[in-house]
């Protein structure tokens, strides 16, 4: 929108001109053009501060790894939200509204939303939206009522970027912290679809990107729990077992100098001879512990979110954000590895936390190039871009650790090789189909072949990543404050129940005020 100068004689004095410009300026702000173009300098600031932190900040063990990971992720996630998408137009989230007053004669509805947003549904997008069908009893099924107040009918609706500042802050905070898009219209495909009350609501048209039916489990095996009780019991058991597993792994890892970063150390003498007498078995043993050491803390941390937001906070304070369907499993079923091989490992079983951000650049490029989404070249592009982003993310995390690591030759090479493995397995499967052998093989044989290929592939490529973990000292980090096994005397001499010694958090005074802050 341009501000053209008025014609001669159309204004009485300069004050009218000022008021005209002020009105037009207000119209520009309301139209969102300023926000649209402001996202580019804001993204440039994100890059500047993140790159500065990556270049100048270092720490030991997992803290150093986190510095690089979080700053690289801030660039990737910001680009997905404000460069490859327009948050004002592209993103909507599910919100719940409650009908608290109904006047059929005047066809007016007084509505209130969940406790967090307090917005009127008729003005959620800045435009009036008719809710006339809310007066029909058929459109308010019993399972669509608010569990906190069964006497007040409620319904779900889509909320775009709100108009008021307080509601925008809540909406934006949810968007920025929701990496998988759960409860948003960009929800990734590997998690279960929306529950029936949302799918059956007449206001939720197909334009919002909703699937045709509700599923409690996705095609990759990610599960959505039916009740808060089932969710909390599962996550509590996951957390407790994960805590015990972390304690066990820490004891085992610290008995092997390889996990201290001494790469050429022999295996511990207490291990059975079947492991120590074979370099292949020693290598496999260390890879298995490295996998468990990566999987277990992630799974344990992921369990804490539902326990806090659903178990402690609840819908009374954060509304639909504490409903049980918002917290499906983070990992899929391992059956996808048997079914799809290496592609199933990365696209189905492993956590999909970064998936939306990794896919955003390739989808943007597809649109610019005019490629079909399901074409072979689009799939190749998506594969290369996703693992390229993942390689950069983990290489940056390696770079910000104190000890000498190999960011390019280690984690980046590992992730850059994964499209090669996926492509090789797909070509092999295609060749078997071409000669007519694949369909003649029993399903269990094909599944076993996928399983063997994946683990042989990782036997040769995973050391690029796991050796860098060990070299950087990531396993030296103490994950638990209280240790059962070390308290019982199964740790090193002098170790006991309490494990977090020294200053965990302190205040650091720099030469300038902006150089001061919390030190971990």
């Amino acid at each position: 929108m341009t501000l053209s100068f008025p014609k001669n004689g159309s204004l009485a004095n300069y004050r009218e001109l000022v008021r005209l410009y002020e009105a037009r300026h207000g119209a520009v702000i309301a139209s969102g053009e300023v926000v649209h173009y402001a996202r580019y300098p804001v993204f440039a600031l994100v890059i500047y501060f993140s790159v500065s932190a990556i270049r100048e900040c270092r720490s030991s063990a997992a803290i150093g790894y986190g510095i690089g990971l979080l700053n690289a992720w801030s660039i990737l996630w910001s680009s997905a939200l404000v460069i490859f998408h327009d948050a004002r137009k592209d993103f909507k989230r599910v919100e719940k509204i409650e009908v608290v007053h109904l006047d059929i004669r005047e066809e007016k509805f007084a509505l209130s939303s969940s406790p967090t947003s307090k917005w009127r549904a008729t003005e959620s997008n800045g435009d009036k939206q008719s809710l006339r069908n809310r007066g029909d009893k058929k459109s308010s099924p019993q399972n669509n009522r608010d569990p906190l107040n069964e006497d007040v009918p409620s319904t779900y609706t889509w909320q775009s970027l709100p108009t008021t500042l307080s509601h925008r802050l809540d909406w934006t905070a949810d968007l920025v912290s929701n990496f998988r898009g759960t409860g948003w219209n960009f929800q990734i495909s590997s998690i279960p679809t929306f529950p029936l009350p949302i799918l059956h609501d007449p206001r939720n048209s197909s334009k919002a990107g909703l699937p045709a039916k509700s599923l409690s489990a996705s095609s990759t095996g990610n599960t959505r729990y039916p009740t808060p009780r089932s969710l909390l019991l599962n996550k509590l058991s996951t957390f407790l077992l994960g805590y015990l597993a972390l304690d066990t792994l820490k004891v085992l890892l610290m008995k092997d100098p390889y996990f201290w970063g001494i790469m050429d150390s022999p295996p511990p003498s207490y291990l059975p001879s079947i492991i120590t007498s074979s370099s292949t078995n020693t290598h496999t043993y260390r890879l298995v512990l490295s996998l468990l050491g990566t999987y277990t803390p992630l799974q344990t941390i992921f369990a804490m979110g539902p326990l806090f937001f659903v178990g402690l906070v609840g819908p009374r304070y954060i509304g639909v954000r504490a409903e049980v369907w918002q917290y499906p499993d983070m990992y899929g079923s391992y059956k996808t590895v048997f079914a799809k091989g290496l592609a199933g490992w990365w696209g189905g079983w492993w956590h999909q936390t970064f998936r939306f951000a990794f896919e955003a650049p390739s989808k943007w490029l597809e649109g610019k190039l005019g490629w079909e989404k399901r074409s072979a070249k689009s799939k190749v592009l998506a594969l290369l871009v996703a693992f390229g982003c993942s390689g950069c993310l983990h290489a940056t995390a390696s770079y910000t650790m104190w000890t000498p690591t190999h960011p390019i030759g280690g984690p980046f090479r590992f992730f850059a090789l994964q499209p090669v493995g996926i492509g090789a397995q797909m070509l092999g499967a295609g060749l078997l189909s071409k000669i007519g052998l694949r369909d003649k093989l029993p399903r269990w044989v094909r599944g076993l072949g996928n399983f063997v290929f994946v683990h042989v592939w990782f036997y040769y490529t995973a050391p690029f990543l796991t050796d860098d973990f060990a070299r950087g000292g990531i396993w030296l980090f103490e994950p638990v404050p209280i240790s059962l096994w070390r308290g019982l005397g199964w740790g090193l001499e002098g170790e006991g129940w309490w494990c977090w010694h020294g200053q965990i958090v302190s205040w650091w005074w720099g030469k300038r005020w902006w150089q001061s802050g919390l030190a971990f």
Side-chain angles (χ1 to χ4, degrees):
M1 181 182 294
T2 58
L3 301 181
S4 58
F5 197 84
K7 295 181 179 180
N8 185 31
S10 61
L11 299 174
N13 53 59
Y14 77 93
R15 292 185 180 276
E16 290 190 8
L17 179 61
V18 172
R19 284 194 294 268
L20 175 62
Y21 281 167
E22 288 177 347
R24 291 184 179 179
H25 177 264
V28 170
I29 298 295
S31 69
E33 288 190 28
V34 173
V35 176
H36 176 78
Y37 292 108
R39 58 186 180 157
Y40 299 109
V42 169
F43 180 64
L45 286 176
V46 171
I47 294 177
Y48 172 77
F49 286 115
S50 296
V51 170
S52 297
I54 292 169
R55 292 182 57 190
E56 300 174 8
C57 297
R58 295 292 182 276
S59 188
S60 59
I63 302 300
Y65 195 86
I67 291 173
L69 187 77
L70 292 176
N71 281 282
W73 173 244
S74 68
I75 296 175
L76 288 173
W77 187 231
S78 299
S79 68
L81 296 183
V82 303
I83 300 299
F84 301 119
H85 293 89
D86 186 345
R88 298 176 305 118
K89 301 177 181 178
D90 297 340
F91 299 140
K92 298 179 181 180
R93 69 172 181 175
V94 172
E95 186 60 279
K96 177 178 282 188
I97 54 178
E98 301 164 1
V99 180
V100 296
H101 176 69
L102 176 63
D103 189 340
I104 299 178
R105 291 172 301 175
E106 297 184 8
E107 296 183 350
K108 294 181 179 179
F109 294 81
L111 303 171
S112 69
S113 70
S114 62
T116 52
S117 54
K118 305 295 183 187
W119 54 282
R120 286 189 174 273
T122 55
E123 299 175 355
S124 61
N125 300 331
D127 300 321
K128 299 289 184 180
Q129 298 183 0
S130 173
L131 296 178
R132 185 174 301 178
N133 57 4
R134 284 293 152 256
D136 186 356
K137 293 181 179 179
K138 294 181 180 179
S139 65
S140 298
Q142 185 67 24
N143 63 355
N144 224 21
R145 292 180 179 271
D146 184 1
L148 296 179
N149 189 350
E150 291 293 339
D151 295 328
V152 179
S154 60
T155 186
Y156 293 94
T157 186
W158 288 105
Q159 184 188 30
S160 297
L161 182 66
T163 55
T164 60
L165 178 60
S166 59
H167 303 151
R168 281 195 175 197
L169 290 175
D170 174 66
W171 190 92
T172 304
D174 187 19
L175 173 66
V176 171
S177 60
N178 202 327
F179 301 150
R180 298 192 300 169
T182 309
W184 289 75
N185 62 340
F186 65 91
Q187 177 174 295
I188 62 175
S189 60
S190 61
I191 58 180
T193 57
F194 293 89
L196 286 174
I198 300 176
L199 296 182
H200 287 177
D201 194 293
R203 284 163 52 84
N204 293 330
S205 64
S206 59
K207 295 180 180 179
L210 287 177
K213 58 182 179 179
S214 177
L215 299 173
S216 60
S218 67
S219 59
T220 58
N222 296 72
T223 303
R224 188 182 71 230
Y225 297 88
T227 63
R229 176 182 172 82
S230 61
L231 172 69
L232 294 176
L233 286 176
N234 179 276
K235 298 309 174 186
L236 181 60
S237 62
T238 298
F239 176 79
L240 294 177
L241 290 174
Y243 187 97
L244 185 61
L246 281 174
D247 187 19
T248 305
L249 284 168
K250 179 64 177 181
V251 172
L252 291 175
L253 293 175
M254 292 302 97
K255 290 182 179 294
D256 187 349
Y258 163 82
F259 293 100
W260 309 349
I262 304 176
M263 311 308 297
D264 56 352
S265 61
S269 58
Y270 72 87
L271 292 175
S273 59
I274 191 174
I275 296 178
T276 58
S277 61
S278 168
S279 60
T280 299
N281 292 345
T282 299
H283 182 67
T284 303
Y285 165 79
R286 287 170 170 170
L287 285 178
V288 170
L289 285 188
S290 297
L291 173 61
L292 293 175
T294 305
Y295 172 88
T296 304
L298 290 176
Q299 183 75 313
T300 306
I301 291 171
F302 291 151
M304 296 172 68
L307 290 174
F308 178 76
F309 291 109
V310 179
L312 295 180
V313 182
R316 185 177 300 277
Y317 297 101
I318 59 174
V320 73
R321 250 49 66 188
E323 292 189 2
V324 64
W325 62 271
Q326 293 265 15
Y327 298 92
D329 285 337
M330 297 296 294
Y331 284 88
S333 171
Y334 202 80
K335 292 180 181 178
T336 55
V337 178
F338 290 94
K340 299 183 179 180
L342 192 60
W345 174 290
W346 290 117
W349 175 65
W350 197 249
H351 74 90
Q352 305 293 295
T353 306
F354 306 134
R355 181 168 183 160
F356 180 76
F358 289 171
E359 290 178 343
S362 59
K363 289 184 175 180
W364 182 83
L365 279 173
E366 288 170 12
K368 294 296 182 182
L369 297 173
W371 293 358
E372 294 184 8
K373 293 182 179 180
R374 309 293 278 177
S375 64
K377 57 186 178 182
S378 293
K379 292 179 179 179
V380 171
L381 176 65
L383 200 64
L384 294 175
V385 170
F387 281 104
C389 290
S390 186
C392 291
L393 182 71
H394 292 85
T396 306
S398 170
Y399 177 76
T400 52
M401 289 195 285
W402 254 334
T403 51
T405 55
H406 303 152
I408 303 299
F412 184 83
R413 178 162 55 167
F414 169 74
F415 287 103
L417 285 173
Q418 300 314 303
V420 177
I422 293 173
Q425 191 170 19
M426 293 178 65
L427 286 174
L431 180 62
L432 291 177
S433 296
K434 189 175 183 179
I435 62 178
L437 181 60
R438 185 175 184 272
D439 294 336
K440 296 179 181 179
L441 295 174
R443 179 175 295 181
W444 70 268
V445 174
R446 299 199 302 268
L448 181 61
N450 285 332
F451 178 85
V452 171
F453 176 87
V454 166
H455 291 84
V456 170
W457 173 263
F458 282 138
Y459 179 88
Y460 289 103
T461 62
F464 297 132
L465 180 66
T466 57
D467 285 356
D468 204 67
F469 281 168
R471 194 180 292 111
I474 200 170
W475 307 119
L476 300 177
F477 179 77
E478 180 55 67
V480 296
I482 300 174
S483 171
L484 172 64
W485 307 126
R486 280 167 279 185
L488 294 174
W490 293 355
L492 300 177
E493 184 178 354
E495 290 185 321
W497 299 96
W498 185 252
C499 303
W500 286 359
H501 302 286
Q503 281 190 326
I504 300 173
V505 180
S506 61
W507 184 264
W508 173 263
W509 290 103
K511 293 182 179 179
R512 301 287 188 273
W513 66 267
W514 61 84
Q515 296 173 332
S516 303
L518 291 175
F520 294 89

